[in-house]
Amino acid sequence: MRAVPVLFAITVLTWPQPGAAQGWTPPTDTQRCPSKWGSTDERGSGNHMKPETVLRAVRLIRTGEVFELGRVLKADMPFSLGRRFEMEMKRTNMNTGSNRRGSNEEIVFAELGQVGTQFDGFTHQTIGDSLYNCVKLNDVATRGGFTKLGIQNVGSLITRGVLIDVAALKGVEMLPDTYPITVDDLQRALQRQKLALQPGDAVIINTGWGRLWDTDGARYLKTNPGLTTAAAEWLVKQDPMLIGTDNGPVGVTPDPDRNLSNPVHQIALVVNGIHLLENLRLDEIAGKQVYEFALVVQPLKIQGATGSTVAPIAVR
Amino acid sequence: MRAVPVLFAITVLTWPQPGAAQGWTPPTDTQRCPSKWGSTDERGSGNHMKPETVLRAVRLIRTGEVFELGRVLKADMPFSLGRRFEMEMKRTNMNTGSNRRGSNEEIVFAELGQVGTQFDGFTHQTIGDSLYNCVKLNDVATRGGFTKLGIQNVGSLITRGVLIDVAALKGVEMLPDTYPITVDDLQRALQRQKLALQPGDAVIINTGWGRLWDTDGARYLKTNPGLTTAAAEWLVKQDPMLIGTDNGPVGVTPDPDRNLSNPVHQIALVVNGIHLLENLRLDEIAGKQVYEFALVVQPLKIQGATGSTVAPIAVR
Amino acid sequence: MRAVPVLFAITVLTWPQPGAAQGWTPPTDTQRCPSKWGSTDERGSGNHMKPETVLRAVRLIRTGEVFELGRVLKADMPFSLGRRFEMEMKRTNMNTGSNRRGSNEEIVFAELGQVGTQFDGFTHQTIGDSLYNCVKLNDVATRGGFTKLGIQNVGSLITRGVLIDVAALKGVEMLPDTYPITVDDLQRALQRQKLALQPGDAVIINTGWGRLWDTDGARYLKTNPGLTTAAAEWLVKQDPMLIGTDNGPVGVTPDPDRNLSNPVHQIALVVNGIHLLENLRLDEIAGKQVYEFALVVQPLKIQGATGSTVAPIAVR
Amino acid sequence: MRAVPVLFAITVLTWPQPGAAQGWTPPTDTQRCPSKWGSTDERGSGNHMKPETVLRAVRLIRTGEVFELGRVLKADMPFSLGRRFEMEMKRTNMNTGSNRRGSNEEIVFAELGQVGTQFDGFTHQTIGDSLYNCVKLNDVATRGGFTKLGIQNVGSLITRGVLIDVAALKGVEMLPDTYPITVDDLQRALQRQKLALQPGDAVIINTGWGRLWDTDGARYLKTNPGLTTAAAEWLVKQDPMLIGTDNGPVGVTPDPDRNLSNPVHQIALVVNGIHLLENLRLDEIAGKQVYEFALVVQPLKIQGATGSTVAPIAVR
């Protein structure tokens, strides 16, 4: 376990005071439905996945370098409450045959869509009893998964990825524990990196928080720098294919409005049908200033699931 | 469930008689070690994964079309004996907060590296107590996984993919139940498709057997057309990054030499350190004659595991 | 697997025709609550478990013979839909130390309260959203179990057991597939056995259906002879501590009124707060005419669970 | 969480110094086999379970009082390394039918034979590769359990129970953290309680350590007062049906001979074929001086398992 030098440039960082309520209220079903993709749509931002999107991403590949953005999956990684990843090796089974073939395999018990580096589908979150596109929970939830909006429908995504390095903008390796990323932060970081977002992008935000993943899981889980509701609202207006970060909740935790529980998850998944990609390992691409790349992610096709544990990459 | 028209052109297909022993004997440790990649190598054919390999694959992408080669993961898909995929939805957890955020997730219990469409690592198979590069089982096997050769080390693979359509060569949609694919079959199929293999390729073999996945799981599992040991030996000499098929065992089942239990698994994984990719969905690319493409596969980074369930794609 | 001689004396057995609706309607909350044990009661028929109940049972023990009524738990026993019992041996862990101590253990994945021979608690069944004593499902159900009425509160039960052998009354080893046991059947069987029920008894009903457990699991699960709603209503009036049988549902399956789904479960558990004991092995005590005995059952103290897999005994 | 007054009368307690090696060496197979119960025996101390044993126990029941000795099973109870008890409620399944019957059940994932209050069978421990009666591990261990010596063969046990209250002998509520219980301690405690052991007894030892179960799980697991090898050797000579305690390991932890890893487990299970009963709740019977009673324990009939989680009782 290496020491992590963290420059807490706290004195120069200011942000809205907790308690300064931001007044976000979930939109009513009438306000948010039907989705802009149509009243029967189940794909949301996945609709951006088209041949031309792939070609746009592939054109960014010049050196063939691949950067792994996924975390190693193991029993002692950080977990949100009540989640786990348990693996037991099954005893070697020696098959009959003169070739003495032994077989090994392992049994895994996990909240498979919601542990490690993971990709969120639209059944993961609700506003009350209502999912994306106002699909009603009780109409589609069964003991064995959801009959609509399941993660198996998403498929592999390949699109232009843009890393917005907010930590670098602030001159720190890691943003402070409850730092709320603002619209201004996002815009200035893009300006600093001389990049503009395009519809269908995978927008990846570096907070530096991922440095705690292997070194201080308790702190990693307790709070985190992340998006304000205003920043999330601005981002979704840019029409991305997905929003990813190096923390679990994407939104700042706790939310500055203490009455709200991770509203950013609702803004992205429920209100706008935009996928999330969480617990990314971003230190390498941030360190090497890989700001624009082809993002490739392959959610497992788990029927009816809310998400998938994944191992995405950036390629340039 | 749609009807599957299968042309059983059995009369024109001939193959070596069962009992005509092919005499394959597992090489001794001395004969097969060290691996050609060096005595401490753990990556085997994964060593082909280099920036130029990625660029070679990417240059094949011209239209941006993506073909999903992964199966949907569900409790009633076909499984080898003793494997399963169980998923239970966890009751919606309604968080506190004025934004009425409900959270859904699922618990999965599965032989995660060895169910559905799946990617084999080198701890999956042994010859006696010996793994790839003569790593000894008892030195690296723990209750919670393997301390060497674990699947988390592989990373995403992007390489030139070549589909060898043996079914099409034979003029059938599906090869007969125990059809043994020969060296000649592979060579003539490549000739017919006007393609030559290159080192580092993902070699994907279409037997048509995958048509049974959704329609007759019992038959899918009972036997299968697949590679003979001779064909496997020829293929590994072509130095591929991986060998994939639309059945589970890759090798023909049962092996024509009834004393052998899936020797092709040993030839690929143990003797030569070449990854396998199983239970692929190939009907679409076979039907559209997508014979050359970029193959992208992202194994989950399960620490110490023998393999990973995956959702690979072909892109052209 | 031995042959099971089954005397199908069907011609002499007559029963109410299916479709001859029995008109059972679940009582309203007002009609059934509070329970006769009080409005805050969580123990129901478990309230019969008192020192004098134990002494009454113990006085029946004269020879010290113990009869095992529990089934062996294994992956291939009969299961209701969606239930399972999976066990994987964990690799032997060799501890450090000069004494070369190896440890073995196994991991189990099962609907533990509801597989094999099992004991039902009061959270297992509802009428609409209402449990025993009109506890509301949504007030007590959490992701990890129930905050009231959990099986951990029951404790071991020792009481007088009475076997009512309806199969023997009818002169068969096994009642027909959908035979509906009537009040008259129960009363005449008791008369034949010269026994009368007492409050607090464990009433065990032999249908002979258990003969199929090891020999024809599919038939065991498809239908079963069992109690009519009238017979169940009569039984609960006798004020037993529990009702047990050698089938899964206790009630006849399907119910003669095809609009009803296992109403006997509701009559016992929800309306009257009487425990059920299912999938018992009764062939031995039926064969030896052990009609009166001490019944001992020890539910596991699973916090918040709906039931417990058990291994009860009869002692005489 | 209530305060637990613990009288640490440490000054009056002396015991052999750690490092004063006790020289216990596992007997060779030749020295310990065949078992005194015969070379093919699989029941060991379970052979004591006979009708007269039951009658001897039942004669001790005078008041009918039942004392629960089992712990509540839950995810946050103390566990030995790598064990767990996870339970997830399955969403209520509303059955079709006019009677609105909802079904609840839960899925459990646990080392079921080795968590909570638990009963050890003879496959749980080895000396090298050898089990009780010199059955060889590799001859009987499969992926799904053991083909011999499985816990399903044990059955319910009813026998005379004797509580040896060593803590009371020492005038403390809880013995110190690594207190080694000697032969003299056991003999003097029995003398104080005016009781003598008989062959076939369930010998239950109160150390007071169980007071930590709910209050300080970390300390409960770290070390524990328990039997020395000499005390264990003396106890097994008394020919009991089982030995039980209010800690996990039964033996003192760590063993005074630091080269030994829980030799008491080997002495009981492997060398002598005597069952163990662990993590008992003894505060109530110790507090009420219930020293002689009928002990009833019903191991689940898990095929091929090493043990069973249980909920035993003392009845007097």
Side-chain angles (χ1 to χ4, degrees):
Chain A
M1 200 175 292
R2 64 195 167 76
V4 178
V6 179
L7 306 178
F8 279 106
I10 294 178
T11 51
V12 302
L13 298 177
T14 61
W15 62 85
Q17 293 306 305
Q22 307 193 328
W24 190 82
T25 306
T28 64
D29 278 14
T30 314
Q31 288 170 324
R32 68 179 174 88
C33 296
S35 150
K36 73 171 179 183
W37 302 102
S39 64
T40 60
D41 178 66
E42 299 188 34
R43 293 184 59 78
S45 64
N47 285 296
H48 281 297
M49 181 64 187
K50 296 173 188 164
E52 50 264 46
T53 314
V54 173
L55 292 177
R56 184 173 63 110
V58 162
R59 279 193 293 267
L60 299 171
I61 300 176
R62 279 155 203 151
T63 67
E65 283 170 285
V66 171
F67 302 92
E68 300 276 340
L69 308 184
R71 298 289 182 182
V72 172
L73 301 173
K74 49 185 180 176
D76 62 352
M77 60 183 175
F79 293 100
S80 296
L81 188 66
R83 297 181 191 164
R84 80 225 73 175
F85 185 90
E86 305 283 353
M87 185 175 93
E88 302 290 342
M89 182 62 47
K90 294 169 74 166
R91 288 178 60 90
T92 298
N93 182 46
M94 188 55 61
N95 302 281
T96 55
S98 62
N99 51 331
R100 296 177 296 126
R101 184 171 67 93
S103 292
N104 298 302
E105 58 208 75
E106 49 279 311
I107 186 85
V108 166
F109 180 71
E111 281 77 13
L112 194 62
Q114 302 292 338
V115 295
T117 300
Q118 52 108 344
F119 180 90
D120 278 349
F122 305 139
T123 54
H124 176 43
Q125 298 280 281
T126 75
I127 296 172
D129 67 345
S130 191
L131 299 162
Y132 166 68
N133 223 353
C134 296
V135 172
K136 290 298 173 288
L137 196 59
N138 290 335
D139 292 346
V140 295
T142 73
R143 283 186 170 194
F146 290 86
T147 55
K148 283 192 178 177
L149 300 171
I151 203 70
Q152 79 278 13
N153 299 317
V154 176
S156 285
L157 303 180
I158 303 177
T159 191
R160 179 193 184 225
V162 174
L163 179 72
I164 305 183
D165 194 339
V166 181
L169 172 75
K170 298 294 181 179
V172 296
E173 290 202 330
M174 189 170 83
L175 294 172
D177 296 56
T178 60
Y179 182 80
I181 297 171
T182 64
V183 177
D184 188 61
D185 289 339
L186 296 176
Q187 290 175 336
R188 288 203 291 131
L190 283 165
Q191 198 171 5
R192 177 180 164 276
Q193 298 173 205
K194 298 185 176 55
L195 286 170
L197 297 181
Q198 300 169 13
D201 281 351
V203 181
I204 310 296
I205 297 160
N206 184 48
T207 70
W209 199 245
R211 292 172 177 276
L212 298 174
W213 179 268
D214 285 325
T215 58
D216 191 348
R219 187 173 163 207
Y220 183 85
L221 294 170
K222 192 177 177 192
T223 70
N224 65 275
L227 297 177
T228 59
T229 51
E233 298 275 21
W234 180 82
L235 262 185
V236 303
K237 284 206 187 71
Q238 312 313 308
D239 199 14
M241 186 185 288
L242 63 86
I243 302 170
T245 55
D246 57 348
N247 60 44
V250 183
V252 58
T253 306
D255 193 87
D257 180 343
R258 290 293 193 275
N259 291 320
L260 296 177
S261 165
N262 202 347
V264 170
H265 255 54
Q266 291 175 316
I267 290 170
L269 296 168
V270 189
V271 180
N272 291 283
I274 293 172
H275 292 295
L276 297 176
L277 191 47
E278 301 162 357
N279 298 321
L280 290 164
R281 186 168 79 80
L282 299 179
D283 53 346
E284 192 178 7
I285 59 170
K288 296 187 176 171
Q289 304 188 4
V290 182
Y291 291 150
E292 194 182 17
F293 46 83
L295 187 286
V296 184
V297 59
Q298 295 189 329
L300 294 181
K301 298 176 175 300
I302 311 173
Q303 185 167 279
T306 65
S308 173
T309 298
V310 288
I313 53 173
V315 192
R316 73 167 175 190
Chain B
M1 199 176 290
R2 63 195 167 75
V4 178
V6 179
L7 306 176
F8 279 107
I10 294 180
T11 52
V12 302
L13 296 177
T14 60
W15 61 86
Q17 294 306 305
Q22 307 193 328
W24 189 82
T25 306
T28 63
D29 278 14
T30 314
Q31 287 170 325
R32 70 180 173 88
C33 297
S35 147
K36 74 172 178 181
W37 302 101
S39 63
T40 60
D41 177 65
E42 298 188 34
R43 292 184 61 77
S45 65
N47 284 296
H48 280 298
M49 181 63 187
K50 296 173 187 165
E52 51 264 43
T53 313
V54 174
L55 293 177
R56 183 171 65 110
V58 163
R59 280 193 293 266
L60 300 170
I61 301 176
R62 279 153 205 153
T63 67
E65 283 170 285
V66 171
F67 302 91
E68 299 277 340
L69 309 183
R71 298 289 182 184
V72 172
L73 302 172
K74 49 186 179 176
D76 61 353
M77 60 183 176
F79 293 100
S80 295
L81 187 66
R83 298 180 191 165
R84 81 225 72 177
F85 184 88
E86 305 284 354
M87 186 174 92
E88 301 292 342
M89 182 61 47
K90 295 168 75 167
R91 287 177 61 87
T92 299
N93 182 45
M94 188 54 62
N95 302 280
T96 55
S98 63
N99 51 332
R100 297 178 294 127
R101 183 171 68 93
S103 292
N104 298 303
E105 58 207 75
E106 48 279 310
I107 186 86
V108 167
F109 179 72
E111 280 76 12
L112 193 63
Q114 303 292 337
V115 294
T117 300
Q118 53 106 346
F119 180 91
D120 278 348
F122 304 139
T123 54
H124 176 45
Q125 297 280 281
T126 75
I127 296 173
D129 67 344
S130 190
L131 300 162
Y132 166 68
N133 223 352
C134 296
V135 171
K136 291 297 173 289
L137 196 58
N138 289 336
D139 292 345
V140 297
T142 73
R143 283 186 170 194
F146 289 86
T147 56
K148 282 192 178 176
L149 300 171
I151 203 71
Q152 79 279 13
N153 298 318
V154 175
S156 285
L157 303 180
I158 303 178
T159 191
R160 179 193 184 225
V162 174
L163 180 72
I164 303 183
D165 193 340
V166 181
L169 172 75
K170 299 292 182 180
V172 295
E173 290 203 329
M174 189 170 82
L175 294 173
D177 297 56
T178 60
Y179 182 80
I181 297 171
T182 64
V183 177
D184 188 59
D185 288 339
L186 297 176
Q187 290 175 337
R188 288 202 294 129
L190 283 165
Q191 198 170 6
R192 177 181 165 275
Q193 298 173 207
K194 299 186 175 54
L195 286 171
L197 297 180
Q198 300 169 12
D201 280 352
V203 181
I204 311 295
I205 297 160
N206 184 49
T207 70
W209 200 244
R211 292 171 177 277
L212 299 173
W213 180 267
D214 284 325
T215 58
D216 191 347
R219 186 173 164 208
Y220 183 85
L221 294 169
K222 192 176 177 193
T223 69
N224 65 275
L227 297 178
T228 58
T229 51
E233 298 274 20
W234 180 80
L235 260 186
V236 302
K237 283 205 186 72
Q238 312 312 308
D239 199 14
M241 185 184 289
L242 63 86
I243 301 170
T245 56
D246 58 348
N247 59 43
V250 184
V252 58
T253 305
D255 193 86
D257 180 343
R258 289 293 193 276
N259 292 319
L260 297 177
S261 165
N262 201 346
V264 170
H265 255 55
Q266 290 176 316
I267 290 170
L269 296 168
V270 189
V271 180
N272 290 284
I274 294 172
H275 292 294
L276 296 176
L277 191 49
E278 301 162 358
N279 298 322
L280 289 165
R281 186 168 80 79
L282 299 179
D283 54 347
E284 192 179 7
I285 59 170
K288 295 187 177 172
Q289 304 188 4
V290 182
Y291 291 151
E292 194 183 18
F293 46 84
L295 186 288
V296 184
V297 58
Q298 296 189 326
L300 294 181
K301 297 176 174 301
I302 311 173
Q303 185 168 280
T306 64
S308 173
T309 298
V310 288
I313 52 173
V315 193
R316 74 167 174 188
Chain C
M1 199 175 289
R2 63 195 168 74
V4 178
V6 179
L7 306 177
F8 281 106
I10 295 178
T11 52
V12 302
L13 297 178
T14 60
W15 60 88
Q17 293 306 305
Q22 306 193 328
W24 189 81
T25 307
T28 64
D29 278 13
T30 314
Q31 287 170 325
R32 69 180 174 88
C33 297
S35 149
K36 73 172 179 182
W37 303 101
S39 64
T40 60
D41 178 65
E42 299 188 33
R43 292 185 60 77
S45 65
N47 284 296
H48 280 299
M49 181 64 187
K50 296 174 187 163
E52 51 264 46
T53 313
V54 174
L55 292 178
R56 184 172 65 110
V58 163
R59 279 193 294 267
L60 299 171
I61 301 176
R62 280 158 202 146
T63 67
E65 282 170 286
V66 172
F67 302 92
E68 300 276 340
L69 309 182
R71 298 288 181 183
V72 172
L73 302 172
K74 49 187 178 175
D76 61 352
M77 60 183 175
F79 294 99
S80 295
L81 188 65
R83 298 181 190 164
R84 80 225 72 175
F85 184 89
E86 305 284 354
M87 186 175 93
E88 300 291 343
M89 182 61 47
K90 295 169 73 167
R91 288 177 61 90
T92 298
N93 182 45
M94 188 53 61
N95 302 280
T96 54
S98 62
N99 50 331
R100 295 177 295 127
R101 183 171 69 92
S103 292
N104 298 303
E105 58 208 74
E106 49 278 310
I107 187 86
V108 167
F109 179 72
E111 280 76 13
L112 194 62
Q114 302 293 338
V115 295
T117 300
Q118 53 107 343
F119 180 91
D120 277 350
F122 304 139
T123 53
H124 176 44
Q125 297 282 282
T126 76
I127 296 172
D129 67 344
S130 190
L131 300 162
Y132 167 67
N133 223 351
C134 296
V135 172
K136 290 297 172 290
L137 196 59
N138 289 335
D139 293 345
V140 296
T142 73
R143 283 187 169 193
F146 289 86
T147 56
K148 283 192 179 177
L149 300 170
I151 203 71
Q152 79 278 14
N153 299 317
V154 176
S156 285
L157 303 180
I158 303 178
T159 191
R160 178 192 183 226
V162 174
L163 180 73
I164 304 183
D165 193 340
V166 181
L169 172 75
K170 299 293 182 180
V172 296
E173 289 202 331
M174 189 170 83
L175 295 172
D177 297 55
T178 60
Y179 182 79
I181 297 172
T182 64
V183 177
D184 188 60
D185 289 339
L186 296 176
Q187 290 175 336
R188 288 202 293 130
L190 282 166
Q191 198 170 7
R192 177 180 164 276
Q193 298 173 205
K194 300 184 174 56
L195 286 171
L197 297 181
Q198 299 169 12
D201 280 351
V203 181
I204 310 296
I205 297 160
N206 184 49
T207 70
W209 201 244
R211 291 171 177 278
L212 298 174
W213 179 268
D214 284 325
T215 58
D216 191 348
R219 185 173 165 208
Y220 183 85
L221 294 170
K222 193 177 177 193
T223 69
N224 65 275
L227 297 177
T228 59
T229 51
E233 298 275 21
W234 179 81
L235 261 186
V236 303
K237 284 208 187 70
Q238 312 311 309
D239 198 14
M241 187 184 286
L242 63 86
I243 302 170
T245 56
D246 57 349
N247 59 44
V250 184
V252 58
T253 305
D255 194 86
D257 180 342
R258 290 293 192 275
N259 292 319
L260 297 177
S261 165
N262 201 346
V264 171
H265 255 56
Q266 291 176 316
I267 290 170
L269 296 168
V270 189
V271 181
N272 290 284
I274 294 173
H275 292 293
L276 296 176
L277 191 49
E278 301 162 357
N279 298 322
L280 289 165
R281 187 169 79 81
L282 299 179
D283 54 346
E284 192 179 6
I285 60 171
K288 296 186 176 171
Q289 305 187 3
V290 182
Y291 291 151
E292 193 182 18
F293 46 83
L295 187 287
V296 184
V297 59
Q298 295 189 326
L300 294 181
K301 297 176 176 299
I302 311 173
Q303 185 168 279
T306 65
S308 172
T309 298
V310 288
I313 53 173
V315 192
R316 74 167 174 189
Chain D
M1 198 175 289
R2 63 195 167 74
V4 177
V6 179
L7 306 177
F8 279 105
I10 295 179
T11 52
V12 302
L13 297 178
T14 60
W15 62 85
Q17 294 304 306
Q22 307 192 330
W24 189 81
T25 307
T28 64
D29 278 13
T30 314
Q31 286 170 327
R32 69 181 174 86
C33 296
S35 147
K36 73 172 178 182
W37 302 101
S39 63
T40 60
D41 178 65
E42 298 188 33
R43 292 184 61 76
S45 65
N47 284 296
H48 280 298
M49 181 64 187
K50 297 173 187 166
E52 51 264 43
T53 313
V54 173
L55 292 177
R56 184 171 64 109
V58 162
R59 280 194 293 268
L60 299 172
I61 301 176
R62 280 155 203 149
T63 66
E65 283 169 284
V66 171
F67 302 92
E68 299 276 341
L69 309 183
R71 298 289 182 183
V72 172
L73 301 173
K74 49 186 179 176
D76 61 351
M77 61 183 176
F79 294 100
S80 295
L81 188 65
R83 297 180 191 166
R84 81 225 72 176
F85 184 89
E86 306 283 354
M87 185 174 93
E88 302 291 342
M89 182 61 48
K90 294 169 76 166
R91 288 176 60 88
T92 298
N93 181 46
M94 188 55 61
N95 302 280
T96 54
S98 62
N99 51 331
R100 296 178 294 127
R101 184 171 66 94
S103 292
N104 298 302
E105 57 207 75
E106 49 279 310
I107 186 87
V108 167
F109 180 70
E111 280 77 11
L112 194 63
Q114 303 292 338
V115 294
T117 300
Q118 53 107 343
F119 180 90
D120 278 350
F122 304 140
T123 53
H124 176 43
Q125 297 280 283
T126 75
I127 296 173
D129 67 345
S130 190
L131 299 162
Y132 166 68
N133 222 353
C134 296
V135 172
K136 291 298 174 287
L137 196 58
N138 289 335
D139 292 346
V140 296
T142 73
R143 284 186 170 194
F146 289 87
T147 55
K148 282 192 178 177
L149 300 170
I151 202 71
Q152 80 278 14
N153 298 318
V154 176
S156 285
L157 303 180
I158 303 178
T159 191
R160 178 192 184 226
V162 173
L163 179 72
I164 304 183
D165 193 340
V166 181
L169 172 75
K170 299 293 182 179
V172 296
E173 289 203 330
M174 189 171 81
L175 294 171
D177 296 55
T178 60
Y179 182 80
I181 297 172
T182 64
V183 177
D184 188 60
D185 288 339
L186 297 176
Q187 290 176 336
R188 288 202 293 130
L190 283 165
Q191 198 171 6
R192 177 180 164 276
Q193 297 173 206
K194 298 185 175 55
L195 286 171
L197 297 181
Q198 299 169 13
D201 280 352
V203 181
I204 310 295
I205 296 160
N206 184 47
T207 69
W209 199 245
R211 292 171 176 276
L212 299 173
W213 180 267
D214 284 325
T215 58
D216 190 349
R219 186 173 163 207
Y220 183 84
L221 294 170
K222 192 177 177 191
T223 70
N224 65 275
L227 298 177
T228 58
T229 50
E233 298 275 21
W234 180 80
L235 261 186
V236 302
K237 284 206 186 72
Q238 312 312 308
D239 199 14
M241 185 184 288
L242 64 85
I243 301 170
T245 56
D246 58 348
N247 60 43
V250 184
V252 58
T253 306
D255 193 87
D257 180 343
R258 290 293 193 273
N259 291 320
L260 297 177
S261 165
N262 201 347
V264 170
H265 255 55
Q266 290 175 317
I267 290 169
L269 296 168
V270 189
V271 181
N272 291 284
I274 294 172
H275 291 295
L276 297 177
L277 192 47
E278 299 162 0
N279 298 322
L280 289 164
R281 187 168 79 81
L282 299 179
D283 54 346
E284 191 179 7
I285 60 170
K288 295 187 176 172
Q289 304 188 4
V290 182
Y291 291 149
E292 194 182 17
F293 45 84
L295 186 287
V296 184
V297 59
Q298 295 189 328
L300 294 181
K301 298 177 176 299
I302 311 172
Q303 185 167 281
T306 65
S308 172
T309 298
V310 288
I313 54 172
V315 192
R316 75 167 174 188

